[in-house]
Amino acid sequence: MTAFLIKIFTSAVIIGFVTELARRSPTYGGVIAALPLVSLISLIWLVRQGQSKMEVTAFVKSVLYGLPATFLLLLVLYVLLSRGGSLIASVLCAGACWWIVWMLQQQLMLFWSRQ
């Protein structure tokens, strides 16, 4: 339970730092937010918890699979917000694009694994 609380506290501090930085400097906040902090922190916790090298490698591979859909989500969100879209509608639309690309990727992976 203590390790779980430490994970929550560490994550909250990082998110708080990034949002404060973004409030003061959107450019620097955006650059820091774009860093793979969640992936790296998760990787560190997995290693500290004794996960095998194969399990850690599978985690990293899965993060790579998520990048195309995440990139599209951020691109759609940027375009919609920069053109005056409401935050809620933009997030919903970008989220739907993310889901569609993720599902398409899953289907392509299934197709390729049968070849």
Side-chain angles (χ1 to χ4, degrees):
M1 184 64 160
T2 302
F4 181 69
L5 293 175
I6 291 171
K7 291 177 200 177
I8 291 172
F9 178 74
T10 304
S11 301
V13 167
I14 291 169
I15 291 168
F17 171 75
V18 171
T19 55
E20 273 303 304
L21 181 61
R23 189 173 61 81
R24 294 188 174 122
S25 172
T27 301
Y28 289 129
V31 169
I32 298 296
L35 293 173
L37 291 174
V38 172
S39 300
L40 292 175
I41 291 169
S42 299
L43 183 68
I44 290 166
W45 286 117
L46 288 171
V47 170
R48 287 192 47 85
Q49 291 172 350
Q51 299 296 315
S52 72
K53 188 174 182 179
M54 284 183 58
E55 291 169 321
V56 171
T57 302
F59 168 75
V60 173
K61 183 179 177 183
S62 297
V63 169
L64 288 172
Y65 286 150
L67 289 179
T70 300
F71 177 78
L72 182 65
L73 176 140
L74 293 171
L75 180 64
V76 169
L77 191 58
Y78 169 75
V79 168
L80 293 176
L81 288 174
S82 67
R83 294 193 176 170
S86 74
L87 179 63
I88 293 174
S90 298
V91 167
L92 289 174
C93 185
C97 290
W98 178 90
W99 185 80
I100 290 167
V101 170
W102 177 251
M103 289 293 114
L104 180 61
Q105 279 182 243
Q106 298 295 87
Q107 293 303 313
L108 287 172
M109 287 171 39
L110 284 173
F111 175 74
W112 286 330
S113 67
R114 288 186 219 149
Q115 298 295 331

